[in-house]
Amino acid sequence: MPKRVHVIVSTHTSRHLSWVLWGLAHQEVAAVSVTVSCDTDHADIRKVAAEGSERWKLPLRVVQRRHHGITRVAQVRNNGIRALTADFGEEGLRGTQLVLLDGDICLAPRAIAVHARAGDRGDLVLGHRVNLGREETSALDPDCVEPGPRPGPSDPEERREFSRRHGKHLRKAFLRRLGLAAPHKPTVLGAHHSVGWERMRALNGYDETFQGWGMEDDDLARRMHRSGARSISVVREARAFHLWHEPQAHRTQESPNFERFQLPWQPRCRHGIEDPVEQTEPVIYRFGT
């Protein structure tokens, strides 16, 4: 039986938030709730959220706190989980699937349904995304496109890439069972992935000591696999579209988080949903409820 789904969107900008909400509002199977968790307290995000909620009849909560001078994706995601827990309670979340979505990803109409079904077979559900170019992103118009952007890869090269990604997941999962793969393989792609509530709670969520760019998703994958979680690839089924923005150049081995990743670790992180890294108190705003 498909699981009920809660969506947590992490963002630091309102740049593509309208399209993210539009994609969630046009799902074949609606999420139980949508939470937008922010690495900033900028009012423009609340404005876009309020307009999207009213326009597409989408109930949602926005969680905001002041930016602390460094990216804290892990903490932002945990803030969303903490807000969700405050509203539904741990018993109310039992048996549900948490879909984690970046703030520049627009889901195609079947994506939530795919995550819900896959979550019934595994604890960690891994997807991928189609990269839209500048012109494609600029041409998107919510008044003209129904019920979503391109339904899938539009050319042979994209289809080959999705098949390659899916095959790579299967190979890494098999090798990990034999003890021959790196502990964080298959990897989590931040764009969109989902985790069963019980497993996420047992691991204490995302490790908030990962601050700045990179590796928090690799850490989650490593801890998930170490705890015995089964990963499921929905690369070919759950379509998602990465909306264009100016790329940022990052080199993994130059990130402080690369060194952090090499340190001793345990499946349950110390600073996560419980015992978070110090921050200003998040504020929750509700729209359409």
Side-chain angles (χ1 to χ4, degrees):
M1 180 178 179
K3 287 188 173 183
R4 294 173 299 133
V5 169
H6 295 274
V7 175
I8 297 174
V9 180
S10 56
T11 189
H12 65 282
T13 174
S14 62
R15 177 176 51 208
H16 292 312
L17 184 56
S18 288
W19 271 109
V20 175
L21 299 180
W22 183 88
L24 292 170
H26 289 80
Q27 292 296 303
E28 293 178 0
V29 175
V32 176
S33 74
V34 175
T35 301
V36 178
S37 188
C38 311
D39 201 7
T40 177
D41 57 359
H42 290 170
D44 62 327
I45 294 179
R46 298 194 297 276
K47 180 176 183 294
V48 171
E51 291 172 349
S53 173
E54 180 178 5
R55 183 176 185 182
W56 298 306
K57 311 304 178 187
L58 182 68
L60 56 90
R61 66 182 63 75
V62 174
V63 185
Q64 290 191 296
R65 57 104 169 99
R66 179 173 56 81
H67 184 64
H68 285 266
I70 189 170
T71 300
R72 294 187 178 184
V73 174
Q75 186 171 71
V76 166
R77 289 172 179 164
N78 284 343
N79 283 342
I81 295 172
R82 285 186 280 263
L84 193 62
T85 307
D87 280 0
F88 286 87
E90 296 205 8
E91 283 300 316
L93 293 174
R94 196 173 301 280
T96 62
Q97 193 78 2
L98 306 183
V99 171
L100 288 305
L101 190 64
D102 280 354
D104 54 10
I105 298 294
C106 181
L107 294 180
R110 295 182 58 247
I112 294 298
V114 171
H115 275 281
R117 289 195 300 270
D120 195 44
R121 298 184 286 119
D123 300 287
L124 176 62
V125 180
L126 306 176
H128 193 50
R129 76 274 191 261
V130 174
N131 291 316
L132 301 185
R134 185 201 298 261
E135 292 75 16
E136 289 178 296
T137 301
S138 298
L140 292 175
D141 181 353
D143 292 323
C144 299
V145 184
E146 288 289 343
R150 296 191 283 148
S154 61
D155 59 54
E157 183 177 349
E158 283 182 348
R159 289 193 292 271
R160 285 193 296 270
E161 171 63 11
F162 272 60
S163 294
R164 187 188 71 82
R165 288 269 179 175
H166 179 72
K168 184 176 180 181
H169 173 275
L170 297 181
R171 289 192 300 274
K172 292 296 184 181
F174 175 73
L175 290 173
R176 184 170 51 79
R177 288 195 292 270
L178 298 177
L180 299 176
H184 63 292
K185 303 289 187 176
T187 55
V188 170
L189 180 69
H192 74 112
H193 59 278
S194 67
V195 180
W197 160 253
E198 287 82 0
R199 185 73 67 171
M200 183 70 87
R201 190 68 183 85
L203 298 183
N204 200 24
Y206 295 85
D207 187 341
E208 296 187 8
T209 63
F210 284 88
Q211 300 184 33
W213 181 83
M215 306 303 293
E216 70 281 338
D217 293 325
D218 292 302
D219 171 73
L220 177 71
R222 178 174 62 178
R223 293 188 292 116
M224 289 286 291
H225 299 324
R226 176 71 175 272
S227 70
R230 181 185 181 192
S231 62
I232 303 291
S233 169
V234 293
V235 167
R236 295 184 298 189
E237 296 86 12
R239 299 300 190 213
F241 302 90
H242 178 261
L243 304 171
W244 187 90
H245 55 81
E246 288 288 349
Q248 295 179 314
H250 295 291
R251 292 176 62 87
T252 299
Q253 295 190 6
E254 294 177 357
S255 167
N257 286 339
F258 181 78
E259 294 184 8
R260 169 70 186 85
F261 190 71
Q262 314 307 315
L263 297 177
W265 57 278
Q266 295 293 327
R268 179 179 172 85
C269 65
R270 177 179 176 184
H271 298 290
I273 299 171
E274 294 180 356
D275 196 15
V277 169
E278 185 177 357
Q279 63 176 329
T280 55
E281 185 67 23
V283 179
I284 302 175
Y285 304 87
R286 293 176 176 81
F287 302 98
T289 58

